[in-house]
Amino acid sequence: MSSPPSPPPISNPFTSALLAGALAGTTVDLSLYPIDTLKTRLQSSAGFYPSGGFRGIYAGVGSALVGSAPGAALFFVSYEGLKSRLRVLREGGGHEDSGGRSAARWSDAADHMLAASAGEVAACAVRVPTEVVKQRAQAAQHPSSMAALGFILAQRSDIGVLGVWREMYRGWGITIIREVPFTAIQFPLWEGMKAWRRRRTGSNEVSAVESGFFGSVAGAVAAGLTTPLDVLKTRMMLAKERQSAVSMCAEIWKTSGPEAFVSGIGPRIMWISAGGAIFLGTYQWAYNSMAGVI
């Protein structure tokens, strides 16, 4: 008796990016959550051990479970969609060079930088509230994600609905300021290494293992360069009261010294390097699978 036919591959790039992104985001956040917790506690103004030390390293994991899939899906849908659109504009609106060949008006690296930046802005609509709740639980300000969320929502009678909204999105600006440079470094590097590999092999596709390795390298470079922004973002989200980025930066410099801006750089590079391998490797595997490539 013949086996039932396998389901047809998903040919819609939008659907592939949506599902692959959701899977990649959930996989990386859950697998590397303990390192993220340690990084948050190292950056906390209260100090590593008062913030929990090595205890309860899965504190706040509930918010990560809720926010990982939609945040990553929003990112990749925006990224792939805008990248494709920019490529069409770039190649369709080019001019001829001295040899009569079509020449694009800008490089593909610019496509990747713009698309990744737009993707991060979209993803932060989900990421920032979950980060606020998650990091307060990680830093032992509350025993769990639900407790942290309940504390914020309970302030409605004092600060109103708008105040609760602003509290949930505390650190939105600095998160955008951190994420846009990060992705503007990581994704052109990742795409560039994949393009180099395709030229070397003569294949149109890159395997999940290769994509994961390139993602790890690109993530490590971007993580190290953007650590000061990550420290600033963490301090703003954990602060008892709202502060501007400028005043928080001045406070960190005054109370902790310039070395505080590289707090947690080791765990951050390790976490994002490993995360880049898992995140972009998983994404490539899922995307290729749904496209019928592997």
Side-chain angles (χ1 to χ4, degrees), residues 38-53:
L38 297 178
K39 185 269 301 181
T40 297
R41 292 172 179 177
L42 283 167
Q43 293 178 346
S44 172
S45 59
F48 179 71
Y49 287 104
S51 297

Side-chain angles (χ1 to χ4, degrees), residues 133-147:
V133 172
K134 179 194 74 173
Q135 290 198 324
R136 292 184 183 187
Q138 286 177 322
Q141 293 183 0
H142 302 280
S144 67
S145 293
M146 285 300 297

Side-chain angles (χ1 to χ4, degrees), residues 208-230:
V209 173
E210 292 168 337
S211 177
F213 175 74
F214 298 148
S216 176
V217 174
V221 173
L225 293 176
T226 58
T227 295
L229 294 173
D230 185 56

Side-chain angles (χ1 to χ4, degrees), residues 100-122:
R101 294 167 298 189
S102 177
R105 290 180 295 178
W106 61 84
S107 69
D108 54 357
D111 292 352
H112 304 148
M113 291 176 68
L114 289 172
S117 298
E120 283 296 347
V121 173

